[in-house]
Amino acid sequence: MTFEAKTSFEPFRIKSIEPIGLISKEQRQRAMAAAGYNIFNLRAEDILIDLQTDSGTTAMSAEQWSGMLRGDESYSGSRSFFKFREVFSDISGFEHIFPTHQGRAAEHILFTALIASSKRKDLVIPSNVHFDTTRANIEINGMEARDLLIAEGRQPMLDFPFKGNLDTQKLKALIAEVGADRIPVCMVTITNNAGGGQPVSMQNIREISAICREAKIPFFIDACRFAENAMFIKLREPGYADKTPREIARELFSYADGCTVSAKKDGMVNMGGILAMNNEALAERCRNLMVVSEGFPTYGGLAGYDLEALAVGLNEVLDENYLRYRLGQCEYLGDKLLARRIPIVRPTGGHAVFIDAGAMLPHIPALQYPAWALSVYLYELAGIRTCEIGSMLFAKIDENGKETAAPYELLRLALPRRVYTQAHLDYVAEAVAYAAAHKNEIRGMRIDYQAPVLRHFTARLSWIDEREAA
Ligand code: F0G
């Protein structure tokens, strides 16, 4: 007889713990009112379970913490840099590897270097979906960011294995429309954050690479969640079931000319980023820019101990048991919500579960921000912090201040790596189910103050009175 356990469990045990915000509902209501009904303004110590982001919130391992003591803090040529470089070179195969202080710094340096070397000024950068900071770094440099996600990726409820894929026909059409000399680089984001971590298939990456090579356009991967994407390929794409996540990651990177990485995700650290590439001339320009804004190219805004922790984290993240647990954790929470008839984006991605608050709270109009209202309610009810991805974030506002709602009203529950246990997720599912059962208690919200740009960070709101709503 063999024992085949049906219980899934965290593939680690806990050595060091920290308190979570066990305060009363009344205290939370007061904290929320003081925060202007904006979860960004809360004090983190007043939060019980923080699902605001998976970025920089990872719990490091004993190996990482002990590695930090071995960090070499030399200004240049630190031993920790060479250790980090060796590890990432083994995974990615890229020739030139620079650490940066976080992902957006790598993007900034890459795009600045690309512009400097381009004869054209009217540049367009395609991607499946550019992350906000990538888009901002492109637009601030006067270039255009173009999202070319496949149609399946835009249908939240559609079950499709690789909803992060880039539409290669659209890429070919874009090259034909604007000409390759206006496209200094083509990017692909793995996994696609905008859908909660929807993966991109190896087949898609191979095709993008072939199109770019033929048109002589450099192809870069935004590889923040490369290990989660590799594991999805192993589980879902024919021909990869017997390959290790490391082998899959190596193959992924082999089709690209470089990558930008926020190490705060699959780097398993709380701060850091990576910029890597093969082209010598481009690397030379990046190296020069590095010195101006990030620091000497062997530390790039990080301490030696950060580089040690990153070197260890990059190996730990590729452990198959860890990745199975990681993707399983998101699926577990997603399945629990589905079992309670909560509408969520299907299939669950690699780092988050998205609740369709528009469908869950049909009595709240989009421009009374149902997902935002749900985020406030869940905090007051159960101390859970989530993140709105709906009209507060993406409504279009014309010159007269008139708003047009975003296409979806989603609430992101992002899971920090190795931080919360299955019991924490059970608690979250129970709280969301309670909210759904008492949805008539949740009212719409109105904005009392907003900044002209990125309003969600600082906005102040209030509940709409029932009489007003009627
Ligand atoms: N690219 C992707 C796909 C990201 O998800 C992020 C960050 C970045 C780039 C920028 O990296 O924060 O290190 O500068 N995403 C975080 C999130 C903020 O909550 O999803 P960074």
Side-chain angles (χ1 to χ4, degrees), residues 162 165-166 168 200-210 233 237-238 240 251-252 255:
F162 292 102
N165 281 0
L166 179 148
T168 49
V200 177
S201 71
M202 192 72 89
Q203 170 77 19
N204 193 239
I205 287 177
R206 220 179 278 126
E207 286 172 16
I208 301 166
S209 173
I233 289 175
E237 191 159 347
Y240 289 93
E251 185 181 337
L252 265 176
Y255 298 120

Side-chain angles (χ1 to χ4, degrees), residues 20 43 66 101 125 134 191 273 284 299 328 348 360 383 411 467:
I20 52 179
R43 293 174 76 112
S66 57
H101 81 274
I125 301 187
T134 324
T191 56
E284 182 58 30
Y299 74 82
T348 48
M360 180 174 156
L411 188 71
R467 283 157 304 172

Side-chain angles (χ1 to χ4, degrees), residues 22 31 51 58 61 99 118 139 156 163 171 173 176 179 197 203 207 213 232 245 248 278 290 303 318 406 417 439 465:
L22 289 167
L51 308 183
T58 302
S61 66
S118 175
E139 291 175 352
K163 278 174 98 169
L171 178 60
Q203 170 77 19
E207 286 172 16
R213 286 205 174 147
F232 274 122
I248 297 172
N278 287 329
M290 285 282 301
L318 287 167
R417 292 168 182 76
K439 64 181 174 206
D465 193 277

